[in-house]
Amino acid sequence: MAGKPLVIVTRKLPEAIEARMAELFDARFNRLDEPMSHDDLAAAMAEADVLVPTVTDRIGPELIEKAGPRLKLIAQFGTGIDNIDVEAAVKRKITVTNTPSVLTEDTADMTMALILAVPRRLNEGARRLRNNRGVWPGWSPTWMLGHRIGGKKLGILGMGRIGQAVAHRARAFGLEVHYHNRNPVNSVIEKELGATYWDSFDRMLREIDILSVNCPHTPATYHLLNERRIAIMKPDAYVVNTARGEVVDQDALITALEEGRLGGAGLDVFEREPAIDPRLLKLENVVLLPHMSSATVEGRLEMGERVLINIRVWMDGEKPPDRVIPAIL
Ligand code: 8YV
């Protein structure tokens, strides 16, 4: 393309990334570290050649409809793209890209941290000390007992890049790996992970001790873990979610936890973020994190680099490497 494209970035990004963007593009940044309002987003989309949004921007069909004729690329800073109506964008000949792979390991690390933290009551123990200003009764044979990780059955919902990275870690901790996915993964990978494929999510749920949600949020995965399915899980099973809140019916999960029909939960994502249901805050056996599984300095820089590559390749008139193809195509 002739001249520099107008690139509008909706959120504050790492300094080094913004500096590089300022060199390469006619870049406009959001100086406030807050999501843009709907109107500001609409104004940005009316004007820009490239929009760089994040998970906190809801780019629905009505915003895409109103996009200006110059908008040709939505280069999401993030892997999940459930905040963008990709189908509507592609119909308007707007390319959508994301930043896959670079946050796989960080997200899997945090998933593993939750898989350990919930059964071992890590957060609860830490809170006891902190809330009592360091006063505790001293070691006891029966106090703060959690449950052993090794030998338990982990069920991974969604065996993509992150699911597989979780499986690798889980095996090292002696967990038996089970998974449900649209299709089984390649048999070599399956063997390497020692993973058992379950065609039926329901049947897997009945067997496992810990469920890790690692699939994207799509219309097909919305509330995949619903009231009926929670009811067939073991009453002492744990649910860990570092994917998207919408994959789990949060109300049903809370009710099951309140009624003691589940052992606990580790949640990094929620339905209706950034709102946190106050009932969750009252549950001892729930570890809550503020959507921070991919939050590492290294990861954020690599995400920014992916965004830069996608924009530059698009500027060269080529197809950006991380194009998101809607399911219908
Ligand atoms: C990102 C995420 O940081 O990439 C994702 O899908 O959920 C996050 O961890 C966020 O999406 C940034 O847009």
Side-chain angles (χ1 to χ4, degrees), residues 53-56 76-81 99 103 107 242-244 269 291 293-295 300 303:
T54 74
V55 67
T56 52
Q76 165 99 336
F77 180 90
T79 299
I81 35 84
T99 62
L103 35 73
T107 306
T242 54
R244 283 292 181 269
V269 288
H291 197 147
S293 284
S294 74
R300 291 288 188 256
M303 287 164 74

Side-chain angles (χ1 to χ4, degrees), residues 246-281:
E246 290 81 357
V247 181
V248 178
D249 178 341
Q250 188 168 281
D251 283 326
L253 178 73
I254 294 172
T255 307
L257 288 163
E258 285 176 338
E259 293 175 1
R261 289 188 281 110
L262 279 177
L267 307 174
D268 182 48
V269 288
F270 305 90
E271 278 199 276
R272 302 171 282 276
E273 278 179 29
I276 300 292
D277 190 307
R279 290 173 297 169
L280 283 171
L281 300 169

